[in-house]
Amino acid sequence: MTIPSSALGRLLRTPRGLGAAIVLAIIVLAAILAPVIAPYDYAAQNLRNANMDPGALHWLGTDEFGRDLFSRIIYGARTSLAVGVTSISISMVCGMALGAAAGYFGGAFDRVVTMVVDLSWSFPEILLALILIAILGPGLASTMIAISIAYLAQFTRLTRAQVMALKSETYVEATISLGAGSGHVLFRHLLPNAVTPVIVAGMLATGDAIILEATLGFFGLGAQPPTPSWGAMMSSGTAQIFIAPWIIIFPGLAIAITVIAINLFGDALIDALDIRQRLREG
Amino acid sequence: MALFLIRRLLLLIPVFLAVSLVIFMIIRFVPGDPIDNLLQIGSTEEQKTAMIAAYGLDRALPVQYAIWLGKMLQGDLGEAIILRQPVSTLIAQNLPHSLILGSLALAFSTLVGIATGALAASFKDGWLDRLVMTLILLGSTLPSFWLGLLMILLFAVQLGWFPVSGARSWSALVLPVLTIGIGGVALVARVTRAAMIEIARKDFVTMLHAKGVPPLQIQLGHVLRHALLPVVTILSLRIGWVLGGAVTIEYVFARPGLGSLLITSLNQRDYPVVQGCLLMLAIAVILGTLIGDIVQAAMDPRLRETLR
């Protein structure tokens, strides 16, 4: 286990960490149990009830097609979390492989990786994602690929810095002089020690990825209808801004709560693990 | 400094080539025949042949790239399929709007960010510091397009102080600039605060206090002055982010600009326009980073040595 359970215990004893963990658990559970919790079918249209105020019948109101907003937000959590977690996981694995190889072997490969990472570092993630969407075409799969490539530089950079710092430690030099091969040194000694900051950075990046997914969805470039996504819901709400502002307010609130909970949890995790300094090295 | 400038400028060439290559690939990688993407529906076979010849699509890829690059450097970015105008004309119409929005937002986040950061640092650990830092944390985690929509709801729909969308008057700039600026304020304020607190601990500050210099003068004339270097560093690193924010916010406020043009064209699959917009945005990011680097090097001579 890369995150020791003692650190998790420390995290849950702080009010900030505990609060964030509870909110996150509720959101994840709601996403998993969406079919059980959602009072209505997320795609069921009822034009007679279009743009209804929040009330007893529809807790968060309805959209312009009379679809229940609460049900759509719960199903939207599935899309957001799935996209966020999947794309950041892909990004983390690829970034760790690239960063570890570059940091450990150095040489021309390292120079090329560093150059590409530095170049993409100066571009905002949204612009990188838009370039990739332009190549791949809109949709859920391309959104995931675009997000994972947009965050690749961050994880590559962080892993590389960790591996470079660990490489000169005495115990690694001792292992190498005892005749250990590159594979052994990398997988037994360097990566296990480098992985914790990368996982925490990945946790924090998941929040950003959820915002990026919502932004692309808002542009109409993410998940295509009828798949509910928070960004796309708000985009259709802009046309009803004068008569049904809740279509914009509630999905945005869902994003904000999720992202703030992820950030607070990640921040508390950094303190519990005491790795703020190591994260800065990247 | 002159040597630094020359080396830094030479570095632009490979960067520009790499970026333009990626953007050149867009039309080629899009699923389906690029010609079908470029042609208007109902075009004849002859028009298709003419189009293939015009784009040089019958030649090898490196040759195509060279042709495209050559045309681009002469300002010929092709013809928009749906808007039926030269892409360069469209960009010339939209670019000024984005530039105004971006530079005002950058100025806003710099000034307000430094001011709030300095204020928070001066009242470190007091209630004002905590309040400011909490607000800043909130402002930087909220999705910017949602913040924009909330601003429209409150200030344009409910209160009617500003127009909901468009760019017909100066007052239409207020809400977009605020929305983009708030994210930047958070970043600048955090860096300013951290740098000022660190520098306030240095020996020379203690000596200034010992000499009896008024605290306000120390904070503004000495501590803040030294703290500006990391602020400039972070601003130069993040200059592209203002552009990214502008792309999103232009679309939210339905303002004309490169971002709106890009998103609309992406949805309409008007690929020549998409290419042109992305190219301009990429050039803006590259130039922004360049300016940031130069300002940094001008402020800190040590940095000039790093470019060997």
Side-chain angles (χ1 to χ4, degrees), chain A residues 139-203:
Chain A
L140 202 56
S142 24
T143 301
M144 286 197 217
I145 300 173
I147 295 178
S148 35
I149 297 181
Y151 284 95
L152 194 58
Q154 187 181 336
F155 299 118
T156 311
R157 204 184 171 109
L158 187 60
T159 314
R160 182 178 169 274
Q162 301 291 321
V163 167
M164 297 272 274
L166 289 167
K167 208 169 73 170
S168 50
E169 295 272 331
T170 337
Y171 80 95
V172 178
E173 279 177 20
T175 321
I176 295 173
S177 46
L178 280 171
S182 298
H184 179 83
V185 175
L186 261 176
F187 289 103
R188 295 283 304 180
H189 296 287
L190 294 181
L191 278 176
N193 284 306
V195 82
T196 313
V198 180
I199 288 181
V200 177
M203 167 111 211

Side-chain angles (χ1 to χ4, degrees), chain A residues 59-116:
Chain A
W59 294 348
L60 302 182
T62 61
D63 67 5
E64 76 271 31
F65 297 113
R67 295 177 296 192
D68 182 54
L69 213 55
F70 180 61
S71 307
R72 289 183 65 74
I73 286 178
I74 288 180
Y75 273 96
R78 281 188 160 187
T79 315
S80 277
L81 292 181
V83 172
V85 172
T86 317
S87 39
I88 292 299
S89 306
I90 298 172
S91 194
M92 258 167 59
V93 171
C94 298
M96 272 168 65
L98 272 176
Y104 185 73
F105 296 111
F109 179 69
D110 183 34
R111 276 198 296 278
V112 172
V113 169
T114 311
M115 218 181 81
V116 175

Side-chain angles (χ1 to χ4, degrees), chain B residues 221-233:
Chain B
H222 298 274
V223 177
L224 182 61
R225 216 184 128 191
H226 281 86
L228 283 183
L229 192 65
V231 173
V232 171
T233 309

Side-chain angles (χ1 to χ4, degrees), chain A residues 119 121-127 130-131 133-138 211 214-215 218-221 231 234-235 238 241-242 245 248-253 255-256 259-260 263-264, chain B residues 15 18-19 22 26 29-31 137-138 141-143 145-146 149-150 152-153 157 164 237 240-241 244 247-248 251-252 262-263 266-267 269 271 274 278 281-282 285-286 289:
Chain A
L119 177 59
W121 188 253
S122 60
F123 281 80
E125 279 97 5
I126 179 77
L127 204 53
L130 285 173
I131 293 178
I133 296 265
I135 295 174
L136 300 165
I211 292 186
T215 310
F218 183 75
F219 291 158
L221 302 169
M234 290 157 80
S235 168
T238 50
I241 195 164
F242 288 100
I248 289 170
I249 294 175
F250 291 126
L253 209 57
I255 301 173
V259 175
I260 290 174
N263 282 346
L264 286 180
Chain B
V15 168
V19 169
V22 171
I26 288 172
F29 277 165
V30 163
L137 183 77
L138 270 178
T141 37
L142 297 181
F145 70 99
W146 188 54
L149 290 171
L150 289 184
I152 297 179
L153 259 180
V157 176
V164 172
L237 277 174
W241 265 252
V247 169
T248 314
Y251 185 76
V252 173
L262 172 64
I263 307 296
L266 262 173
N267 275 308
R269 320 225 163 174
Y271 287 107
V274 170
L278 284 175
L281 286 169
V285 172
I286 295 172
T289 318

